[in-house]
Amino acid sequence: DVKVTQSSRYLVKRTGEKVFLECVQDMDHENMFWYRQDPGLGLRLIYFSYDVKMKEKGDIPEGYSVSREKKERFSLILESASTNQTSMYLCASRRTSGRTDTQYFGPGTRLTVL
Amino acid sequence: GEDVEQSLFLSVREGDSSVINCTYTDSSSTYLYWYKQEPGAGLQLLTYIFSNMDMKQDQRLTVLLNKKDKHLSLRIADTQTGDSAIYFCAASLGTGANNLFFGTGTRLTVIP
């Protein structure tokens, strides 16, 4: 079974703090994704990575950066957290080849910025 | 890109069938997916259908695809309280790392 883990289920931070969200997958997938989920807005793609050290902006990259130094790990960084970044953050991974484009998701990190 | 739309809420009585609908805009979508998200959890793949199929059945789940109308539905037979969750429709646009587009999700509430 594919396993995608996220470092925290719940996180509370203060405005202006630097926040790191970590995601690890154990299936040697090339592609990894960070989404945020907000009520009524569904999933919005923040950043994705298609290989080590490679990254692409998604639909809402402002206020975020990412790091992919190793294939299994994809980190989301909030340089200076703000209250409008309070959200559920979901990480996903996917193999490039294969019959389908199925993405496998982690359990999510609910971040509250005070 | 692609726009994928779903209604936000659906309520059904336990034992009834649920039908969750989804529309998408790009006719070149190759795979269409249904994901389930239980409270406080990530998304779990429920089922998917390839664009050259019009129906797929898997136990209590039936997926119908009307490619002409770009309409996808998920039917859950004999809906149980454990089926209460948010259901996301997603459409895949072929190759490329970022080719999966999600709907807003439909929150299904099952009334005992």
Side-chain angles (χ1 to χ4, degrees), chain B residues 25-40:
Chain B
T25 55
D26 198 315
S27 56
S28 59
S29 295
T30 51
Y31 288 95
L32 296 125
Y33 302 83
W34 285 105
Y35 283 84
K36 177 182 181 183
Q37 184 183 34
E38 295 183 352

Side-chain angles (χ1 to χ4, degrees), chain B residues 2-4 24-32 49-52 65 67 70 90-94 99 101:
Chain B
E2 158 132 64
D3 286 330
V4 180
Y24 58 98
T25 55
D26 198 315
S27 56
S28 59
S29 295
T30 51
Y31 288 95
L32 296 125
I49 188 167
F50 187 46
S51 58
N52 69 354
L65 175 61
K67 203 172 174 186
K70 297 194 275 291
S92 169
L93 274 181
N99 64 347
F101 298 87

Side-chain angles (χ1 to χ4, degrees), chain A residues 33 35 43-45 48 59 92-94 100-105, chain B residues 1-2 4 29-35 43 45 48 89-103:
Chain A
F33 305 82
Y35 296 89
L43 272 66
R44 291 183 292 168
L45 182 66
F48 68 98
D59 300 318
S93 76
R94 193 199 79 175
T100 71
D101 304 314
T102 306
Q103 287 191 13
Y104 297 89
F105 283 82
Chain B
E2 158 132 64
V4 180
S29 295
T30 51
Y31 288 95
L32 296 125
Y33 302 83
W34 285 105
Y35 283 84
L43 275 67
L45 179 68
Y48 65 89
C89 168
S92 169
L93 274 181
T95 59
N98 178 29
N99 64 347
L100 195 61
F101 298 87
F102 287 88

Side-chain angles (χ1 to χ4, degrees), chain B residues 56-97:
Chain B
K56 181 177 181 181
Q57 187 146 7
D58 183 2
Q59 299 183 341
R60 291 191 298 121
L61 304 179
T62 304
V63 179
L64 294 177
L65 175 61
N66 181 328
K67 203 172 174 186
K68 175 175 163 290
D69 294 338
K70 297 194 275 291
H71 181 269
L72 181 75
S73 67
L74 174 70
R75 179 177 180 269
I76 306 173
D78 186 26
T79 312
Q80 303 297 306
T81 53
D83 295 323
S84 292
I86 301 175
Y87 290 82
F88 288 91
C89 168
S92 169
L93 274 181
T95 59

Side-chain angles (χ1 to χ4, degrees), chain B residues 5-16:
Chain B
E5 294 195 354
Q6 306 174 236
S7 53
L8 289 180
F9 302 100
L10 177 66
S11 291
V12 298
R13 294 209 173 271
E14 191 174 14
D16 287 351

